[in-house]
């Protein structure tokens, strides 16, 4: 046997309804967009910045955790590009650019 059900609609008072979402101002959406882009850019470029800061540091201060360049030196680059130690980093770099 089947049972039939019926729905009856009742009038709701104004206090029972959910308030409608207020539209956000255009500047709020723009601010959220730029904040999101800034977070993504910092997240992406942060490791590159840290690598550059570490490359210019003196070898004794490699594990220093200050976020700005300290004990700046060019010795790391002179060592890498020096062919007297058997390094051929310059040639490898040229090969990578060609490929």
């Amino acid at each position: 046997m089947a049972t039939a059900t019926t729905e009856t609609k009742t009038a709701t008072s104004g206090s029972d309804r959910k308030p409608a979402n207020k539209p956000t101002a255009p500047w709020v959406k723009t601010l959220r967009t730029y904040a999101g882009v800034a977070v993504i850019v910092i997240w992406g470029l942060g490791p590159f910045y840290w690598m550059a800061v570490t490359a210019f540091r003196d070898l004794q201060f490699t594990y220093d955790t200050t976020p700005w360049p300290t004990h700046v030196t060019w010795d790391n680059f002179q060592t890498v590009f020096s062919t007297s130690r058997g390094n051929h980093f310059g040639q490898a770099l040229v090969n990578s650019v060609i490929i």
Side-chain angles (χ1 to χ4, degrees):
M1 294 207 276
T3 307
T5 58
T6 60
E7 290 184 31
T8 58
K9 292 189 177 188
T10 59
T12 58
S13 65
S15 63
D16 292 342
R17 284 189 257 160
K18 286 184 174 179
N21 291 339
K22 293 192 315 188
T24 56
W27 66 270
V28 173
K29 290 181 182 180
T30 304
L31 180 68
R32 283 193 310 212
T33 300
Y34 283 124
V37 168
V39 166
I40 290 170
V41 167
I42 290 170
W43 184 266
L45 293 180
F48 176 76
Y49 173 77
W50 192 256
M51 178 183 61
V53 167
T54 304
F56 285 105
R57 278 197 183 135
D58 190 11
L59 195 57
Q60 297 169 349
F61 297 95
T62 300
Y63 297 106
D64 188 15
T65 58
T66 56
W68 50 86
T70 58
H71 309 286
V72 177
T73 183
W74 285 94
D75 290 341
N76 297 330
F77 294 98
Q78 288 175 348
T79 303
V80 163
F81 287 106
S82 172
T83 55
S84 64
R85 294 184 174 188
N87 293 338
H88 299 288
F89 183 72
Q91 184 63 41
L93 200 59
V94 170
N95 290 344
S96 295
V97 168
I98 291 172
I99 290 176

